Structure formats: structure tokens, C-alpha cells
Amino acid sequence: MVPLVTAFYYGLFRWEGTRQAGFVGIGNYREIFTRYPLSDEIAGALGHNMLFFVGTMAIQNTIGLGLAVILHRNPWGKRLFQTLFSLPYLISPLIVGYIWSLLLSPTFGPINHVLRGVGLDSWARPWLGEPDIALPVLILVNAWQWIGGPMLIFGAALAGVPRELEEAASIDGASAARTFWKVRFPLLMPAVGVITVLTFIGCFNIFDLVYALGGSDGGPGGAMDVLGLLYYRTAFQGGSNAIGESSALAMLIFVLIFGISVVLERVLRRREVT
């Protein structure tokens, strides 16, 4: 609570270095949206955060659900595979980012080396150096690290589905796919709600993984630039009023994440009831 109040307070003043220069009210907030290039960068960073969230929901959580279903149906080695898929998110995202930047290196990275070795030379490329594929690569690396989270949550939710309902659907002649979508999935909606909100918060708070893969500028042409990186540049690479502008930007990011999270939680909870 103290950092939040402090950021709000600092954002109301203009600063000259570390010295308060006077009360400006919403002046810093207005400057964020009007001063070039910050005004353009905030729109691009917000768009990348949204794409990152959509891509993570589509890839990470879909695969996590699929893995949970497979392990639920085939319990052999379940604990082992749960542990293996969960290990990456115990590692710092900064370390994960640096490791993958080495693996994806266009000069000595083993991924391109393997592709060339099997005759797929046209597939080898500077994965983090092309604006068109940098963000998808970021989404895939992030999904690799955090896929164990939704897998465990969905697995716990599947374990709570009454077997009687599945057996009744089977007796009625429902296929496995129809049983899943008509019986299991509706009962997984509380888990879907939790994962969606957590994924949204994580995607809009992301900083360390992007920093490790693309630097403070967000990769080639800012293709991976996100709000966290924009805040970092504003705070540590900005002008004399860096404290005021970065504090105002931090408050805007907080309001955005908190507000949308509350809306998502209420919408998904209503779907659970219906």
C-alpha cells in the first residue's frame, strides 16, 4: 500500500532530478499522452501487452488444459510429468530469458544449428532480430516457462469432477469429446476464471523476460515493447522529470490492471452461475 500511495503522491509533482519543483496535479498524466515519443510508445506498448495476453491464453492455457486432461486420463507417471512441466516456473524469468537468447542466437545458437543440420536452412533465422516473429517467440518462451501453472490448476479441477456424471454421459452414448465439452468443461469454469485473471495480471506485469530477450528497447523496432519496459525507460532513461512521469505512468498501469481484472473476475463469475 505504501508504494502505491507514494507513486500517487510523486505523480502529482514536477521534479528536477530528485528535487520537487512544484505541484502540477494531473500535469504529468497529461504529459504522458502528449509528449513525443512517449505518447506514441504507450499506445504501441499497450497493444503488445494485449497481443501477448491473447497469445498466452490461446497457447499456454490451451496446452495446459490438454496436458491436464491427458494426465487425468492416464495417471501413469502423473507426478513425474507434473514435476517436469512445473520446474521451469521455479526459475527466474530473467535467467530463462538469457538462456533462450543463447539458444536462439543466429550465430551460435543450437536451434539454428539443428535446423541447418537436418536440411531446414530456410527455417534458420534471427528469431529475436525480426520484428514480425519477435513477439510470437516471446509468447512461446513465456508459455514454455509457465505452462505448468494452468496444467496444475486444471488438473485439480478435473479431479473434482464427479465420476457419476461422466459415467452417466457414457451410458447415454456420448462420445469422449462430447462428454468433455458438455460435462467436464462447464465444471471447469471456476478454474478458467482464476487462470484468465492470473494470466491477464501476469501478461500486463511482464518485464524481466522481455528485458532479457530484447533489452530495454523491446527488441527490433520495439516489436516486444511492453508497458513494463516503457515504465523502466521513463524512470531510468527519462529527462529531469523522470520521477513525476514514471510515477504517473505506474499509477495508470495499476489502474488499468486492477480495473480490467475486477471486470474479468465479475464477468467470469456470472458465467459460472449461468
Side-chain angles (χ1 to χ4, degrees):
M1 191 65 182
V2 173
L4 182 64
V5 174
T6 302
F8 176 73
Y9 174 77
Y10 285 173
L12 297 176
F13 292 85
R14 184 166 187 84
W15 297 74
E16 294 180 356
T18 58
R19 183 180 67 86
Q20 282 188 5
F23 180 81
V24 294
I26 63 171
N28 286 322
Y29 295 89
R30 183 169 55 246
E31 194 163 349
I32 289 173
F33 292 104
T34 57
R35 182 175 66 81
Y36 181 85
L38 190 57
S39 57
D40 289 349
E41 291 175 342
I42 192 171
L46 178 61
H48 291 153
N49 276 106
M50 289 299 301
L51 291 174
F52 185 70
F53 169 64
V54 173
T56 299
M57 286 295 300
I59 297 175
Q60 172 185 299
N61 296 337
T62 301
I63 296 177
L65 175 59
L67 291 172
V69 172
I70 293 172
L71 293 177
H72 180 71
R73 290 179 177 175
N74 304 280
W76 184 87
K78 180 178 180 180
R79 297 299 180 189
L80 173 63
F81 287 109
Q82 285 180 336
T83 302
L84 291 176
F85 283 113
S86 302
L87 280 177
Y89 72 67
L90 300 178
I91 307 173
S92 167
L94 196 62
I95 296 175
V96 169
Y98 285 132
I99 291 174
W100 275 98
S101 65
L102 294 175
L103 294 174
L104 296 168
S105 171
T107 54
F108 55 81
I111 293 179
N112 279 348
H113 180 72
V114 171
L115 290 174
R116 294 189 181 100
V118 297
L120 298 175
D121 298 59
S122 60
W123 287 30
R125 61 187 64 212
W127 299 99
L128 299 174
E130 294 186 7
D132 293 340
I133 63 174
L135 186 60
V137 169
L138 172 65
I139 294 172
L140 290 174
V141 172
N142 183 75
W144 173 86
Q145 181 179 15
W146 298 105
I147 199 169
M151 182 192 70
L152 292 177
I153 295 175
F154 280 129
L158 285 169
V161 176
R163 285 189 173 274
E164 294 80 5
L165 296 178
E166 297 179 8
E167 292 172 356
S170 178
I171 293 173
D172 289 340
S175 63
R178 187 172 180 83
T179 300
F180 175 80
W181 290 111
K182 296 298 183 180
V183 177
R184 285 183 179 175
F185 192 74
L187 297 176
L188 296 181
M189 287 308 297
V192 172
V194 170
I195 291 172
T196 301
V197 173
L198 292 177
T199 301
F200 174 80
I201 295 173
C203 288
F204 274 76
N205 273 326
I206 191 169
F207 167 77
D208 33 17
L209 182 62
V210 190
Y211 182 84
L213 290 174
S216 61
D217 293 328
M224 295 186 290
D225 196 19
V226 291
L227 292 174
L229 286 180
L230 181 58
Y231 167 78
Y232 174 85
R233 293 197 302 273
T234 304
F236 297 102
Q237 300 175 6
S240 61
N241 190 33
I243 293 179
E245 291 181 353
S246 63
S247 297
L249 181 58
M251 288 303 303
L252 289 176
I253 295 173
F254 167 77
V255 170
L256 174 70
I257 295 175
F258 180 77
I260 296 182
S261 297
V262 170
V263 172
L264 277 174
E265 191 271 337
R266 291 185 177 179
V267 170
L268 293 169
R269 182 163 294 183
R270 286 181 182 176
R271 289 183 64 94
E272 293 175 22
V273 174
T274 56

